[in-house]
Amino acid sequence: MADLSIEFCGIRSPNPFWLASAPPTNTGDQVMRAFDAGWGGAVWKTLGNPIVNVTSRFGGIDYGNTRLMGLNNIELITDRPLEVNFREMLEVKKRFPKHTLVASLMVETKEEWREIIQRSEDAGADLLELNFGCPHGMCERGMGSAVGAEPKVLEEIARWAVEFARVPVIVKLTPNVGDILEPGEAAVRAGVPALSLINTVKSIMGVDLDRMVPLPRVGDASTNGGYCGPAVKPIALHLLSQLARHPQCGRLAISGIGGISNWRDAAEFIALGATSVQVCTAVMHHGFRIVEDMLEGLSDFLDEKGMSSVAELRGRAVPAFRDWGELDLSYKLVADINPDTCIGCQLCYVACMDGSHQCIHLPGRTEEQSRQAGHTHLPKHVPERAVTAAAATPGARVPFVDEEECVGCNLCQLVCPVPGCITMEEVSTGRPRESWNDRIAHGKAYVPGGLEATEATRRRNR
Amino acid sequence: MREGDAKRWELPPGRAEEAFEDKKPLYTPAEALAEANRCLYCSGAPCIQACPTGIDVPTFIRKIGTGNLKGAARTILSANLLGQSCAQVCPVEVLCAGSCVYTGWGREPIAIGRLQRYAVETTLSSHPALFQAKQPTGKRIALVGSGPASIAAAGLLALEGHTCLLYERKALPGGLNTLGIAPYKLKGPEALQELEWVLSLGRIEVRTGIEVVETASGPGQVSATGLLATHDAVFLGLGLGADARLGIPGEQGEGVHGATHLIERLKTDPGLTLEGVRRALVIGGGNTALDIAHELALLGVEVAMVYRRSEQEMGGYVHELDAARLDGVRLLENRQPVEILREDGRVVAMRLAFLAEGKPLPGAGETLPTDLVAVAIGQDRATHVARAFAGVALDERGRVKVDPLTHRTGNPKVWSGGDCVNGGKEVVNAVAEAKLAVRDIQRYLAGE
């Protein structure tokens, strides 16, 4: 059994699964139920001068049969009195001394920061998370993402926090910036030991086409909210990896946030440099119970990979991130369709024809028919292969990949509804490893004679 | 089963059951994923409530969806040690899947049984070590009978660190699971494989060919008092007895079979031949009658079921009758067997009386040609074994009397569960009753 416990800035946590600062951590009762369910930590819903919320305040995006692929909200920080929050935090820490309790904070003035930090520490917070990410409501008041998007201001406030705090400080970053390294570097300059990201992405969830009001609708109007859920995971992973690769930011502890719904997502964040992960939307969708699968799945995964702790997984995939110019231009894949699992839907065929490079063919056509359908390159022979899978449409034929023409783009594999049916097979080009940067270094990137000469050279090199 | 372990029990080749195809074959990974992702992951779901062993169905299905297959199997087996056979034999249509929220919404319910089979079978074939037994306690528990109730109880007790000894009268262990389940649901070797996995959980010994009697009079017999004296607790998983008989003329002799005995032969006896059997009549309207009727139909026999009341009053499941009918079984309602007619000793026909609301209509009847008669009108109780234990009481229908909350009998050292207590229910009920009994045996052994 792998050790799931982690150390985050010197603070031990029974496992890397924390609840993000959001509605699920609004009250002590919720946090205690979450800890009972197995969560290792919780970032309390942001404390500050309590606000008044509007209704409605959540919007969701469905995709096909999947509900809540994305969620957005225009809810603000805590709407409950600070004394109540602090009293409940104290109770939580008393009952769950080994769990990680993080206070998320957002106030305006230096004095307010001093006071709220002191009171959070008195209430037992193990860590403080500065909410410089909230992209709605609070930023109009000069807080949240207004701070996160302004490195100088971020640095100044973070410096106050480090000065006032006895416990480690985390800066929570907004993705609503041009370059995530700017606020990251500002946090480093301020001397904080940790970052967390991403906060939500500015968004409008949709439009009520009858009322002509954007969503979520508050009476006769709406505003932009913060987008989260499975849909934002790729954005979060990218920003996380940028920070993890940065020489200074990469040394900080990072709490990964953004669309984490299961153990696999969590493992991916940890492999790209996160020490802990924070979860919100998946809990808002399915409840605290999802943590059981996360704990079990991550533990079994680590065992299977021969890793004895979460720390061993951390950052494992970071070195494999390269700039485009470093990628191997000689590496080649071609698609292969398994006739035993193909169900004959021909989605790969239509995707390749209209969306890619026209190298998947349907058996049983004459050359004339193929040309009429839009193929400009015809393979010598298109074999007749009937589908044999149990689930297949009777009489359907397996599409055929023209390997000579296949550019290995992956699109057919991505649209195929049967997992494992289309695989991308490595083929040798016989050329040594060579990147674009290598070509530049060897003077091969530029071909004198204009576009035509470049094209001719490319053809020769193919 | 671990590699290297020799198989302890084997069934001979050439058995009729080998010809049957799986009704619910093992999913491919793609099929399982597609089905798992359809599940809504309901909270406090009706499927959990409908499962006698309370398997957390939505959780194990979500785990299949996240690729946590081992965890899915753990979720199933920690609630139901016989999760593999239950996945195949449970009447999911009236239990978990029958209560799926999709049903009321006009959508196909989640194929819970098939997903469960996928999770358990796939995991146990690659990662059999899901549970770790506790330190040995030195306590010994005797389990009489080796059917589902005893196997489940033995597995759970072994995980608690106790030593379990199963006493089985027959040569093959497993009871109903090995010998009595319709082969298109579960075949004998699969049942034995599951049994082997349970045995791998801890110190469990199976002693086959041993009869438990009041006074032992030779090898192959042990006495009830002896068992009580040498064990810290006893669990009676006796199942049911021999098939009940019709008591009509012509019943004696070749060609008339007790249903469970015939099923057992289909599953174990390579010598059984149905050559020359073109038509068969099955007497009864319960699930055993449906099973044997369906099995004979799948073997190419023209089968009619004879039931003395109307279709609406039948004890068998509607979905089983529908499935049997699809394979050619006919149902003759409101008829009662009167006489089996023979020529040169061979069964040739059966005389039936017509009934209305269970009462014979005077003078009305018919004679149907048939080559075989299978009698499925119930089974006797294994009362003599239960009676051998002092203090164990039986009710008026011969069922072992237990406290429903603890499954303890009138003897403070004896617990019981499964068919001998409930009169004949599903495998999953036997497991649920074994769980209750084990919980109480634990309290007893802990001195509470």
Side-chain angles (χ1 to χ4, degrees):
Chain A
M1 285 288 285
D3 179 12
L4 286 191
S5 72
I6 57 158
E7 198 176 300
F8 191 96
C9 296
I11 306 293
R12 304 271 322 162
S13 185
N15 62 59
F17 300 107
W18 296 355
L19 292 169
S21 167
T25 56
N26 195 34
T27 67
D29 177 60
Q30 285 169 292
V31 172
M32 288 192 280
R33 277 196 284 121
F35 286 172
D36 278 334
W39 293 89
V43 187
W44 206 276
K45 187 168 165 70
T46 306
L47 304 170
N49 294 315
I51 49 71
V52 176
N53 268 312
V54 294
T55 65
S56 64
R57 59 187 90 154
F58 299 137
I61 280 206
D62 306 337
Y63 193 78
N65 284 330
T66 305
R67 295 285 270 169
L68 284 196
M69 177 190 82
L71 174 77
N72 97 342
N73 79 91
I74 53 171
E75 189 170 295
L76 304 184
I77 64 168
T78 190
D79 52 9
R80 305 159 74 232
L82 278 179
E83 309 78 69
V84 177
N85 278 300
F86 286 129
R87 195 167 62 227
E88 291 177 1
M89 284 172 76
L90 205 58
E91 178 71 16
V92 168
K93 197 61 207 175
K94 203 163 75 188
R95 288 212 217 166
F96 293 89
K98 289 186 177 156
H99 286 63
T100 310
L101 185 63
V102 187
S104 170
L105 307 175
M106 186 199 285
V107 284
E108 278 188 272
T109 67
K110 191 173 180 181
E111 273 322 298
E112 283 177 321
W113 277 106
R114 186 198 304 273
E115 190 198 336
I116 205 157
I117 285 172
Q118 171 125 44
R119 291 177 71 184
S120 302
E121 289 180 346
D122 290 348
D126 299 303
L127 292 150
L128 305 173
E129 183 180 85
L130 314 184
N131 182 345
F132 295 157
C134 190
H136 48 82
M138 303 313 286
C139 45
E140 283 101 325
R141 307 177 196 198
M143 292 181 275
S145 65
V147 175
E150 200 50 71
K152 276 190 183 153
V153 184
L154 182 154
E155 183 182 338
E156 186 180 3
I157 298 179
R159 210 185 288 280
W160 297 341
V162 171
E163 180 192 330
F164 301 147
R166 282 166 291 152
V167 301
V169 172
I170 308 167
V171 162
K172 182 168 179 178
L173 299 174
T174 173
N176 301 303
V177 289
D179 180 2
I180 197 71
L181 295 177
E182 289 184 7
E185 285 168 356
V188 169
R189 286 195 300 274
V192 302
L195 299 171
S196 62
L197 77 163
I198 58 173
N199 205 310
T200 52
V201 186
K202 280 195 180 183
S203 61
I204 287 178
M205 277 328 244
V207 175
D208 179 332
L209 286 176
D210 294 321
R211 295 185 173 89
M212 285 299 164
V213 178
L215 296 169
R217 184 176 64 83
V218 182
D220 58 357
S222 186
T223 189
N224 68 280
Y227 192 29
C228 54
V232 307
K233 189 183 105 178
I235 299 165
L237 284 175
H238 167 239
L239 298 181
L240 166 68
S241 83
Q242 274 193 290
L243 290 163
R245 281 181 297 124
H246 187 277
Q248 280 94 43
C249 300
R251 279 200 219 121
L252 307 189
I254 304 180
S255 191
I257 313 167
I260 297 163
S261 309
N262 56 55
W263 64 272
R264 202 179 274 275
D265 297 333
E268 290 172 12
F269 273 78
I270 295 166
L272 274 184
T275 295
S276 72
V277 292
Q278 298 184 25
V279 180
C280 175
T281 308
V283 163
M284 290 179 71
H285 195 165
H286 298 297
F288 297 131
R289 60 185 169 151
I290 58 168
V291 77
E292 188 211 332
D293 170 54
M294 300 178 107
L295 292 165
E296 193 177 42
L298 184 62
S299 171
D300 283 347
F301 168 76
L302 293 174
D303 287 348
E304 260 166 49
K305 296 288 172 194
M307 300 187 212
S308 58
S309 70
V310 176
E312 278 186 59
L313 173 62
R314 187 184 172 220
R316 280 280 187 112
V318 173
F321 183 100
R322 307 282 163 78
D323 288 336
W324 192 93
E326 289 293 326
L327 303 180
D328 183 8
L329 297 171
S330 304
Y331 182 74
K332 185 161 163 58
L333 294 169
V334 296
D336 183 57
I337 303 169
N338 182 347
D340 296 330
T341 52
C342 172
I343 57 171
C345 69
Q346 299 179 358
L347 284 176
C348 55
Y349 164 75
V350 73
C352 186
M353 277 307 286
D354 295 358
S356 193
H357 289 75
Q358 302 89 47
C359 46
I360 296 186
H361 295 261
L362 290 183
R365 279 180 174 168
T366 62
E367 187 181 330
E368 174 66 20
Q369 286 169 323
S370 289
R371 290 201 187 278
Q372 268 178 6
H375 284 288
T376 49
H377 307 89
L378 292 175
K380 286 188 198 76
H381 173 62
V382 178
E384 274 291 334
R385 295 188 300 178
V387 292
T388 54
T393 318
R397 286 171 304 213
V398 182
F400 172 75
V401 178
D402 182 356
E403 291 189 12
E404 295 295 309
E405 287 300 315
C406 176
V407 299
C409 73
N410 218 23
L411 183 65
C412 54
Q413 189 191 35
L414 297 178
V415 300
C416 178
V418 183
C421 176
I422 298 184
T423 47
M424 302 303 293
E425 303 292 335
E426 265 181 46
V427 290
S428 169
T429 54
R431 294 198 306 267
R433 184 187 174 93
E434 185 189 34
S435 70
W436 178 251
N437 291 353
D438 292 335
R439 286 197 182 182
I440 300 228
H442 294 109
K444 284 202 293 183
Y446 169 74
V447 180
L451 288 177
E452 279 176 20
T454 304
E455 178 56 32
T457 308
R458 280 194 187 147
R459 228 177 288 133
R460 268 202 310 279
N461 285 347
R462 208 174 267 169
Chain B
M1 210 185 145
R2 271 168 305 209
E3 251 178 300
D5 280 9
K7 272 199 180 143
R8 268 166 274 201
W9 301 283
E10 283 200 86
L11 287 157
R15 296 163 293 115
E17 78 161 4
E18 290 167 273
F20 290 95
E21 278 174 26
D22 277 9
K23 196 169 74 168
K24 297 174 181 171
L26 183 67
Y27 268 146
T28 63
E31 288 169 326
L33 199 65
E35 186 63 2
N37 284 327
R38 230 162 50 81
C39 174
L40 293 175
Y41 191 33
C42 302
S43 166
C47 51
I48 310 176
Q49 322 291 332
C51 176
T53 58
I55 294 175
D56 188 344
V57 175
T59 293
F60 95 68
I61 294 179
R62 180 175 165 87
K63 288 177 180 180
I64 293 175
T66 73
N68 178 11
L69 206 57
K70 199 170 160 184
R74 208 180 268 131
T75 299
I76 296 160
L77 295 167
S78 57
N80 181 341
L81 270 190
L82 303 191
Q84 183 173 356
S85 55
C86 283
Q88 284 166 259
V89 309
C90 262
V92 294
E93 294 83 353
V94 296
L95 295 175
C96 51
S99 65
C100 176
V101 294
Y102 274 148
T103 310
W105 190 11
R107 291 177 71 174
E108 186 72 15
I110 302 294
I112 298 170
R114 292 190 70 182
L115 285 172
Q116 180 166 319
R117 176 174 181 186
Y118 175 74
V120 179
E121 203 168 308
T122 312
T123 302
L124 291 192
S125 62
S126 57
H127 295 97
L130 285 176
F131 302 106
Q132 183 62 47
K134 291 185 186 159
Q135 287 300 310
T137 59
K139 306 277 187 197
R140 283 157 53 90
I141 293 135
L143 299 105
V144 185
S146 66
S150 289
I151 299 170
L156 293 171
L157 289 164
L159 285 176
E160 294 294 339
H162 310 310
T163 300
C164 296
L165 298 109
L166 289 146
Y167 294 88
E168 172 57 53
R169 183 169 56 87
K170 295 189 174 175
L172 277 177
L176 183 86
N177 264 15
T178 312
L179 308 172
I181 301 280
Y184 51 82
K185 295 179 187 163
L186 180 81
K187 296 190 176 64
E190 293 175 297
L192 289 173
Q193 199 180 1
E194 183 182 50
L195 172 68
E196 294 277 5
W197 175 74
V198 176
L199 299 193
S200 77
L201 293 174
R203 312 176 154 63
I204 308 175
E205 192 190 318
V206 182
R207 298 183 176 172
T208 51
I210 306 274
E211 210 175 351
V212 177
V213 292
E214 201 171 344
T215 321
S217 60
Q221 290 197 329
V222 292
S223 74
T225 45
L227 279 189
L228 283 167
T230 51
H231 295 78
D232 297 283
V234 174
F235 178 84
L236 303 179
L238 307 172
L240 297 172
D243 293 293
R245 304 186 64 86
L246 292 165
I248 57 171
E251 191 177 7
Q252 302 297 328
E254 280 291 294
V256 180
H257 303 263
T260 65
H261 184 67
L262 184 57
I263 294 173
E264 185 174 329
R265 289 188 63 196
L266 286 171
K267 290 177 73 77
T268 60
D269 182 0
L272 175 73
T273 165
L274 293 173
E275 220 171 297
V277 176
R278 210 159 57 81
R279 288 170 295 216
L281 291 175
V282 172
I283 318 301
N287 286 315
T288 304
L290 281 165
D291 272 352
I292 187 65
H294 199 166
E295 282 166 49
L296 288 169
L298 288 172
L299 288 169
V301 179
E302 207 178 285
V303 184
M305 288 177 69
V306 175
Y307 179 54
R308 84 199 144 82
R309 287 183 173 271
S310 70
E311 180 178 337
Q312 287 71 34
E313 294 162 283
M314 267 178 69
Y317 295 120
V318 174
H319 66 270
E320 293 285 4
L321 177 61
D322 291 345
R325 275 180 164 152
L326 277 179
D327 285 312
V329 172
R330 285 184 307 135
L331 173 68
L332 307 171
E333 314 163 88
N334 299 310
R335 285 164 172 85
Q336 188 172 35
V338 177
E339 186 183 358
I340 293 165
L341 307 175
R342 292 174 182 271
E343 267 172 25
D344 305 328
R346 243 172 12 92
V347 171
V348 291
M350 186 176 228
R351 232 159 34 79
L352 304 171
F354 291 166
L355 297 91
E357 290 170 7
K359 304 258 165 25
L361 292 171
E366 65 186 336
T367 301
L368 295 178
T370 189
D371 309 310
L372 180 148
V373 175
V375 182
I377 56 168
Q379 286 168 267
D380 297 335
R381 312 282 183 237
T383 48
H384 60 283
V385 187
R387 282 210 187 92
F389 290 84
V392 175
L394 304 172
D395 70 7
E396 68 285 356
R397 288 163 65 186
R399 297 175 299 194
V400 178
K401 272 182 154 168
V402 295
D403 172 344
L405 294 180
T406 61
H407 273 256
R408 203 176 206 172
T409 68
N411 182 323
K413 249 179 113 170
V414 180
W415 287 257
S416 183
D419 284 355
C420 68
V421 169
N422 61 38
K425 280 189 174 176
E426 304 295 338
V427 173
V428 67
N429 299 100
V431 178
E433 293 177 14
K435 281 172 74 176
L436 287 173
V438 166
R439 207 172 295 160
D440 197 52
I441 294 172
Q442 270 295 95
R443 279 193 289 258
Y444 167 77
L445 294 177
E448 284 170 31

